[in-house]
Amino acid sequence: QRHLYAANVAKAKNAQEPTPVFPIANLQGGMDLDMLHFTTARFRQYGKESGIHASHLVIVLRALLQQVKVVDLLMDSKDADTKDCGEILTQNLIKEDVLGHLTWIMNHFRSSGHDPRVMSYSVEVFHFMLRCMKRLAAKMGQTPETLEFQVEKGRGRSTTSVDKEIASLACAATVENLFHLLEKYKRHSPQLNSMLVKLLYQIIRVQPSNIVVFFELSYFLRINRMWADPLLRDKHAGRRYQEMVQLLQYILRQFFKCAEKNKMVFVELLFRKVPEK
């Protein structure tokens, strides 16, 4: 339905006609609150509750990703009723603590034993969830950093925000998993690479001290190995990886800026920030 809608939007644009409204009624059975609650329940069941049941979790994440992508379309609609529907669905997804469970999955993911799609789908869902939260904040005239959302955690309730969710990813194990995924850049679509780079940037910038998680010799060796790839140096093929190259350059620049003030940071390179698996 999303692809058909995208084709209709492109057709209307070429004909200089008004953008059509997304036909949410056609997806009612797959996008109502009952189905959303069903999907998030299975997400919790095969994620945190079962310690990552990879084969089942991949299927649930794919379904959840499609739902979140539709919600993102609804949030971007010019039609007030459609946008309101997107807001309700966004608030319910946040309330179900989808982001909190994604954070847990990205932290406990093991590249040696889990399907890599668990990580890549988690990054995509996280990206679109943050985008929906930012759209909602913009509509309410608030910044994403200050707008608080209600979340149900276990038997209690709490609040969250875009910054809080990003800050929860600032864990050495999570960053290690994200960077491991980044190293597979040749296998990813340009969209996934971009989402991954943006997420790492956000983790670094949400708290200035977060950059130190990359101040480790193993990261520098991996960055050097990526830079040595002829594909990244190619004038034409390398353009699709320019965003990633800029991130790697940024990490190195920040290290040497830090080294100007603190020479002991060179010693810090020798110490692992995450326990050996």
Side-chain angles (χ1 to χ4, degrees):
Q1 190 70 53
R2 284 188 303 105
H3 298 296
L4 179 60
Y5 175 70
N8 290 336
V9 169
K11 185 177 179 181
K13 186 176 181 180
N14 291 334
Q16 296 184 339
E17 296 175 351
T19 303
V21 176
F22 186 84
I24 184 63
N26 295 350
L27 295 176
Q28 185 175 355
M31 287 300 302
D32 59 17
L33 290 179
D34 288 339
M35 180 54 70
L36 218 61
H37 292 157
F38 174 81
T39 306
T40 53
R42 301 291 77 73
F43 173 57
R44 292 191 297 271
Q45 178 184 354
Y46 298 125
K48 187 174 182 178
E49 291 175 7
S50 59
I52 303 183
H53 191 307
S55 58
H56 288 28
L57 185 57
V58 165
I59 297 171
V60 176
L61 279 168
R62 288 184 66 179
L64 182 60
L65 176 60
Q66 297 308 313
Q67 289 177 327
V68 175
K69 283 183 175 180
V70 170
V71 173
D72 182 59
L73 271 179
L74 301 180
M75 291 290 292
D76 194 39
S77 176
K78 304 296 183 185
D79 180 69
D81 291 338
T82 303
K83 183 170 284 190
D84 287 344
C85 182
E87 291 172 9
I88 293 170
L89 294 174
T90 297
Q91 290 171 341
N92 273 271
L93 284 168
I94 298 168
K95 183 181 176 183
E96 293 287 337
D97 197 23
V98 168
L99 288 168
H101 282 269
L102 286 170
T103 298
W104 186 93
I105 289 169
M106 287 190 272
N107 181 262
H108 291 80
F109 176 83
R110 296 293 176 263
S111 58
S112 59
H114 293 143
D115 190 322
R117 291 175 297 175
V118 169
M119 196 68 188
S120 60
Y121 283 136
S122 294
V123 168
E124 289 190 72
V125 175
F126 203 95
H127 170 83
F128 282 103
M129 283 291 297
L130 289 184
R131 199 155 83 167
C132 289
M133 291 171 74
K134 290 175 181 177
R135 290 187 194 279
L136 192 53
K139 187 192 174 184
M140 294 183 175
Q142 297 189 45
T143 62
E145 296 79 15
T146 58
L147 182 61
E148 296 280 336
F149 298 89
Q150 292 293 323
V151 183
E152 290 187 355
K153 292 182 178 286
R155 297 181 179 179
R157 290 191 175 188
S158 64
T159 60
T160 190
S161 66
V162 170
D163 271 10
K164 286 181 182 178
E165 294 297 343
I166 294 172
S168 67
L169 294 175
C171 162
T174 303
V175 173
E176 169 75 19
N177 285 329
L178 291 171
F179 199 84
H180 177 79
L181 186 63
L182 186 66
E183 288 181 285
K184 312 298 180 185
Y185 56 90
K186 292 181 184 178
R187 304 178 187 177
H188 303 158
S189 66
Q191 292 79 14
L192 177 57
N193 276 330
S194 180
M195 290 177 195
L196 193 50
V197 169
K198 284 182 172 66
L199 185 56
L200 286 168
Y201 263 128
Q202 289 179 94
I203 293 171
I204 291 170
R205 289 170 175 165
V206 73
Q207 181 68 36
S209 60
N210 288 346
I211 187 68
V212 300
V213 76
F214 292 102
F215 295 174
E216 186 179 301
L217 190 58
S218 65
Y219 277 116
F220 283 22
L221 291 172
R222 291 152 76 183
I223 289 173
N224 182 65
R225 187 163 55 244
M226 293 164 75
W227 249 340
D229 187 347
L231 182 63
L232 299 187
R233 299 172 181 273
D234 188 277
K235 289 184 178 180
H236 299 289
R239 288 177 183 173
R240 62 184 293 185
Y241 304 110
Q242 192 60 38
E243 196 176 15
M244 182 185 75
V245 170
Q246 290 173 353
L247 170 65
L248 302 181
Q249 290 173 335
Y250 177 78
I251 292 171
L252 293 180
R253 280 199 305 269
Q254 294 306 306
F255 172 79
F256 287 108
K257 280 184 181 179
C258 181
E260 290 175 1
K261 300 178 181 179
N262 179 14
K263 301 300 181 184
M264 293 301 292
V265 74
F266 287 100
V267 179
E268 187 71 20
L269 287 175
L270 304 176
F271 294 93
R272 291 280 287 159
K273 310 297 187 302
V274 59
E276 296 287 348
K277 296 177 183 177

